[in-house]
């Protein structure tokens, strides 16, 4: 069995001085097969080589930009003057962003769809920047690196903001007419954003196929290739995620939550939730509350000791 080096969140924290974003700059040298507990946005600044990733080996060249999701083992081989910039970040690093960021088809294409296709061995949809676009992307990376190095007041917020600006910049390129050859990626991304912005409504495969501009059968196949699930499964998972957040956030009734998340009634929600999570919505809410109270109790003795 091939050995794979593993980099965890603690390693990232050490690199970034307890921040959730880090910038790496690598030239030429050997890169062993490795994975990590955070995401890696790669910008190829110069040269060329081969990128080894789970299902195969893919050529990379100057201007290529792509995301390596957490948990994916990969490495670099056969490098010729290869220089790449790695932007390492956790989910939390961009979670505070305006939620509308994730409804941009280009963002979904960059962060979800293209990495899913590449992981399954389907190549040819990666973003490649022209000279001016590459310069701009590198400027964002340089600015982030400077903020992390100088650590002036507010640098964490500025760094996160720059990362979000870079992601939006790449998203707009993905959506530009010049990149219509990646249309499958963008079409699937458009379906994802349509599902998430209309999750409270009844959605059919026929409706989603019109959004994508392809037949229902073709959409079903391409969606499954990219995300490992059907559009219907994605919709169900997204609704369950929303239900979890609402159950944990307040005291809204199961019936109210059911209607707000697109379920027919509380019985429909309860059955779907139990099938997915293994417990009822009410039990899930009780578990969240008990966990929260337990965490408060762990903190309380230290607070009392400080007061004495």
């Amino acid at each position: 069995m091939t050995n794979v080096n593993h980099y965890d969140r603690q390693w990232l924290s050490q690199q970034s001085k307890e921040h959730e974003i880090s910038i790496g700059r690598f030239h030429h040298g050997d890169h062993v097969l490795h994975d990590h507990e955070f995401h890696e946005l790669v910008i190829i600044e110069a040269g060329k080589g081969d990128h080894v990733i789970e299902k195969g080996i893919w050529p990379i060249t100057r201007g290529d930009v792509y995301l390596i999701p957490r948990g994916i083992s990969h490495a670099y081989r056969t490098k010729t003057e290869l220089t790449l910039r790695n932007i390492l970040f956790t989910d939390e690093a961009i979670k505070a962003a305006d939620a509308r960021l994730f409804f941009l088809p280009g963002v979904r294409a960059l962060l979800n769809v293209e990495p899913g296709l590449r992981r399954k061995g389907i190549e040819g949809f990666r973003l490649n920047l022209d000279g001016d676009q590459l310069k701009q992307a590198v400027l964002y990376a340089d600015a982030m690196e400077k903020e992390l190095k100088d650590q002036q007041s507010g640098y964490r917020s500025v760094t996160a903001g720059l990362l979000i600006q870079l992601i939006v910049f790449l998203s707009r390129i993905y959506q530009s007419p010049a990149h219509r050859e990646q249309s499958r990626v963008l079409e699937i991304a458009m379906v994802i954003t349509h599902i998430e912005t209309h999750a409270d409504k009844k959605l059919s495969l026929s409706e989603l196929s019109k959004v994508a501009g392809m037949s229902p059968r073709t959409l079903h196949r391409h969606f499954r290739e990219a995300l490992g699930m059907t559009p219907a499964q994605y919709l169900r998972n997204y609704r369950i995620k929303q239900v979890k957040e609402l159950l944990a956030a307040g005291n809204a009734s199961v019936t109210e939550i059911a209607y707000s998340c697109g379920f027919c009634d509380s019985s429909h929600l309860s059955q779907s939730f139990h099938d997915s999570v293994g417990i009822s919505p009410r039990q899930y809410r009780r578990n969240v509350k008990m966990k929260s109270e337990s965490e408060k109790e762990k903190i309380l003795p230290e607070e009392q000791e400080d007061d004495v």
Side-chain angles (χ1 to χ4, degrees), residues 142-302:
D142 286 342
M144 292 168 63
E145 190 170 16
K146 186 175 188 306
E147 285 292 333
L148 290 170
K149 179 182 178 181
D150 295 346
Q151 294 192 18
Q152 296 186 27
S153 176
Y155 79 95
R156 294 174 184 269
S157 297
V158 173
T159 304
L162 287 167
L163 174 57
I164 292 166
Q165 288 183 58
L166 172 58
I167 291 173
V168 172
F169 171 71
L170 297 173
S171 166
R172 289 174 174 173
I173 297 173
Y174 240 123
Q175 293 176 235
S176 67
H179 287 271
R180 288 306 178 193
E181 63 272 18
Q182 284 112 343
S183 60
R184 188 202 302 184
V185 173
L186 194 58
E187 286 158 359
I188 297 301
M190 290 169 65
V191 172
I192 292 173
T193 59
H194 188 83
I195 288 174
E196 294 187 358
T197 53
H198 297 82
D200 59 332
K201 299 177 176 63
K202 186 176 181 179
L203 295 174
S204 66
L205 185 60
S206 176
E207 177 183 343
L208 296 177
S209 68
K210 292 178 182 177
V211 173
M214 60 182 73
S215 71
R217 178 177 293 183
T218 302
L219 170 61
H220 191 277
R221 183 175 75 254
H222 289 339
F223 198 98
R224 194 180 189 107
E225 281 179 346
L227 299 176
M229 66 185 77
T230 67
Q233 289 171 326
Y234 188 93
L235 172 61
R236 183 195 63 189
N237 292 348
Y238 184 74
R239 284 173 171 170
I240 294 298
K241 177 185 175 184
Q242 286 187 310
V243 170
K244 285 181 175 180
E245 292 173 354
L246 290 172
L247 288 170
N251 296 316
S253 69
V254 173
T255 299
E256 291 172 330
I257 293 175
Y259 290 134
S260 68
C261 293
F263 293 93
C264 299
D265 51 38
S266 60
S267 297
H268 181 207
L269 166 58
S270 296
Q271 184 61 55
S272 297
F273 194 90
H274 191 277
D275 291 344
S276 178
V277 184
I279 57 177
S280 71
R282 290 180 175 82
Q283 183 61 53
Y284 180 85
R285 172 173 272 168
R286 284 195 292 268
N287 290 352
V288 170
K289 184 177 180 181
M290 290 173 60
K291 182 180 179 181
S292 176
E293 292 175 349
S294 175
E295 290 174 350
K296 288 179 180 178
E297 289 176 357
K298 290 179 181 179
I299 296 173
L300 186 58
E302 295 181 3

